[in-house]
Amino acid sequence: MNGQELLDLAARIGPVMVFLIAMTVVAEVAEIAGVFDVAAHWTSRAGRHRTWLLWILVVVLAVACTIVLSIDTTAVLLTPVVIAMTRQLGIAAMPFALTTVWLANTASLLLPVSNLSNLIALHRFSQLGVGTHEYIALAWRPALAAIIATVVVLFVLHRRELLTRYAPDPPAAPHDRVLLRIAGGVCIALGPAFVSGVTPAIPAVIGAVVLLAALAWRWRPKLRTVQVPWLMVLAVCALFVVVDIAMRHGLEPALSTLVGSGDEGGLWRMGAVGAVSANVVNNLPAYLALEPVADGSPARLMALLIGVNAGSIVTVWGSLATLLWRDRCRRAGLTVDAWPYAVRSLLCAAAAVSAALIALSLS
């Protein structure tokens, strides 16, 4: 890879990495401020002691969090809050933990900011004349279908645990009200900012700066606890470079033969290959490798995103969010064995990917 090729790759993934760092800061400060804790407490009160209703509200919270604040926020920060809530209420934790990780992946199609693979794809979509609003118009049906399919699978698998009742709600933890309101306001404001057509990294950076300033003002010692995932950023950048080199040395023709061409049956092949590849090597390098063989078709690009996003949940390394989710579960004392997890996740991935591809084919 020569210098110009490296610069071109950096120009493409640079804003994506900036967005990842900024949104990590936003999510970390929001957690410190108590945004997720308060949201989970309100959810438990609104559930009216019915586990199934509480679960539906957690589904809504996870979907909203994923769409607006990204897949990693749901998988990493919402998961421990939900697990703690289930233990306080004396109900099964696994259905709720699986809800956060599965929806973090399958609900991440709607907005470009919902998943890093979407942000990477936005560059290619823009080359095809598809802006943010056109992207949403193309993605909303598959996104809705994937979410519904995930919810149905979750309920079928865990209906016995969900058709129960829980004890009275625990008291809400005390929080700095000023910091909580600022953090909540920033999180709400980011939603319309991300669909405004502005480069997503810009409002993300502004939100991160505002929240860091607010944290420094209200609770300065906590600034040291805000962790930026530098190792994750470096690992993702290294994966991009490796895939780019492989594509320049013979990988592209092999992939082109594998995925075929055309929009009808080709959508299913593209989605299936994307899902399998994501579970083998991780969704980000899988998308980057398969993007050049999507024939410059917005529909095939969306089929690829469906595969690498909604289909990446089978293995714990299929997405970075799933890896981080498993670590958060371990820290919370919830054991996630890879094989039983893979069996259940395969059902969800097959349902979500199939439903989304059918919706894409009919749109």
Side-chain angles (χ1 to χ4, degrees), residues 81 100 122 231 234 300 302 310:
V81 173
T100 59
L122 195 59
L231 289 178
L234 291 174
R300 281 170 62 82
M302 183 54 63

Side-chain angles (χ1 to χ4, degrees), residues 206-221:
I206 293 173
V209 171
V210 169
L211 289 184
L212 286 174
L215 185 61
W217 171 41
R218 301 296 299 180
W219 203 354
R220 184 178 293 271

Side-chain angles (χ1 to χ4, degrees), residues 1-362:
M1 177 181 288
N2 59 41
Q4 185 58 50
E5 291 170 344
L6 191 59
L7 287 175
D8 291 342
L9 183 61
R12 182 174 182 188
I13 68 173
V16 177
M17 295 299 101
V18 170
F19 173 83
L20 171 62
I21 294 170
M23 286 308 299
T24 299
V25 172
V26 168
E28 289 266 335
V29 178
E31 182 187 35
I32 292 170
V35 171
F36 301 107
D37 181 45
V38 170
H41 177 70
W42 285 354
T43 302
S44 69
R45 293 187 61 188
R48 299 185 178 184
H49 312 299
R50 296 174 177 85
T51 306
W52 69 266
L53 180 56
L54 174 64
W55 173 71
I56 289 294
L57 294 171
V58 169
V59 165
V60 173
L61 182 60
V63 169
C65 186
T66 298
I67 291 173
V68 177
L69 296 178
S70 85
I71 175 177
D72 297 316
T73 300
T74 302
V76 176
L77 298 183
L78 187 59
T79 296
V81 173
V82 168
I83 292 174
M85 179 186 71
T86 59
R87 287 180 170 165
Q88 289 173 355
L89 299 175
I91 57 180
M94 187 56 74
F96 290 83
L98 287 176
T99 297
T100 59
V101 70
W102 284 357
L103 284 172
N105 288 278
T106 62
S108 65
L109 285 167
L110 183 61
L111 297 183
V113 299
S114 304
N115 199 316
L116 291 181
S117 56
N118 302 355
L119 279 177
I120 298 169
L122 195 59
H123 173 80
R124 182 60 177 150
F125 276 114
S126 65
Q127 291 179 335
L128 300 173
V130 177
T132 300
H133 296 117
E134 292 82 5
Y135 172 92
I136 295 172
L138 182 63
W140 77 266
R141 290 180 185 87
L144 181 61
I147 291 168
I148 292 173
T150 301
V151 171
V152 169
V153 171
L154 278 164
F155 183 77
V156 170
L157 290 177
H158 298 283
R159 59 190 180 278
R160 290 185 180 179
E161 298 103 311
L162 296 176
L163 294 176
T164 60
R165 298 179 69 89
Y166 57 89
D169 316 314
H175 298 287
D176 183 314
R177 291 189 177 183
V178 174
L179 182 60
L180 177 62
R181 288 171 180 168
I182 293 174
V186 168
C187 290
I188 292 172
L190 284 175
F194 286 150
V195 299
S196 66
V198 177
T199 301
I202 296 175
V205 169
I206 293 173
V209 171
V210 169
L211 289 184
L212 286 174
L215 185 61
W217 171 41
R218 301 296 299 180
W219 203 354
R220 184 178 293 271
K222 278 291 184 178
L223 280 173
R224 293 190 295 270
T225 68
V226 177
Q227 298 180 358
V228 177
W230 297 115
L231 289 178
M232 182 189 299
V233 172
L234 291 174
V236 170
C237 291
L239 284 173
F240 287 149
V241 172
V242 169
V243 170
D244 191 72
I245 292 173
M247 293 297 289
R248 297 175 187 276
H249 289 81
L251 181 60
E252 184 171 343
L255 292 177
S256 182
T257 302
L258 184 63
V259 302
S261 61
D263 281 346
E264 297 299 326
L267 295 180
W268 287 84
R269 287 180 65 178
M270 178 63 76
V273 172
V276 172
S277 301
N279 284 291
V280 173
V281 297
N282 185 266
N283 65 334
L284 294 178
Y287 172 81
L288 193 63
L290 290 166
E291 182 196 70
V293 298
D295 291 346
S297 164
R300 281 170 62 82
L301 279 176
M302 183 54 63
L304 175 56
L305 285 179
I306 289 170
V308 300
N309 288 2
S312 64
I313 60 175
V314 179
T315 57
V316 293
W317 59 83
S319 73
L320 294 174
T322 305
L323 280 171
L324 294 171
W325 167 83
R326 190 188 189 192
D327 181 65
R328 289 298 174 116
C329 288
R330 181 186 59 80
R331 294 184 187 184
L334 184 65
T335 302
V336 179
D337 294 324
W339 177 245
Y341 169 82
V343 172
R344 284 180 288 184
S345 297
L346 180 59
L347 296 174
C348 182
V353 171
S354 297
L357 287 173
I358 290 173
L360 179 63
S361 300
L362 297 175

